[in-house]
Amino acid sequence: MQRTSAADVIGYCGLVFTEKGPPGEPELAFELLQAVHNHGYATEAGQAVIAWAEQLGCRRLWATVWDWNVASRRLLATLGFCETGRTEPETVHGRSLLTVRE
């Protein structure tokens, strides 16, 4: 992700194909530098990537999020993702929750 006003890189947002969902159903992945949190960049980028995924014919998207990452959980809810109740095995970073957007 790059801000046009400042021409600097502030993070990434895109689709990755993982084994978290069924074959052909990508995962939305995003991460921004902390200095640019709370400016709406993640929401804007997420909406753009979702629109692109819809144009490609993706009917469902997945995303994982750390259980302690309240801001990212809120963002995913804003983008239309729902928590599935499924989790990944706990790691040193915590527990990862699986979300889906139909």
Side-chain angles (χ1 to χ4, degrees):
M1 232 181 299
Q2 181 177 353
R3 293 186 293 189
T4 54
S5 61
D8 58 343
V9 176
I10 59 172
Y12 67 85
C13 183
L15 299 176
V16 294
F17 287 87
T18 66
E19 297 175 3
K20 292 177 176 58
E25 294 183 1
E27 179 179 356
L28 176 71
F30 59 90
E31 190 170 7
L32 276 73
L33 297 175
Q34 190 169 359
V36 297
H37 286 187
N38 300 311
H39 293 282
Y41 297 125
T43 302
E44 181 181 353
Q47 289 169 337
V49 170
I50 289 168
W52 177 60
E54 289 172 350
Q55 290 175 2
L56 294 175
C58 297
R59 302 181 75 166
R60 186 166 34 191
L61 298 175
W62 299 88
T64 53
V65 61
W66 295 114
D67 59 352
W68 48 262
N69 192 337
V70 177
S72 289
R73 289 172 74 177
R74 242 187 338 259
L75 170 65
L76 288 169
T78 297
L79 294 173
F81 285 81
C82 299
E83 294 184 9
T84 64
R86 290 174 41 197
T87 61
E88 294 187 341
E90 193 158 338
T91 70
V92 296
H93 301 292
R95 192 169 38 132
S96 187
L97 310 175
L98 185 64
T99 66
V100 65
R101 183 181 192 280
E102 301 286 344

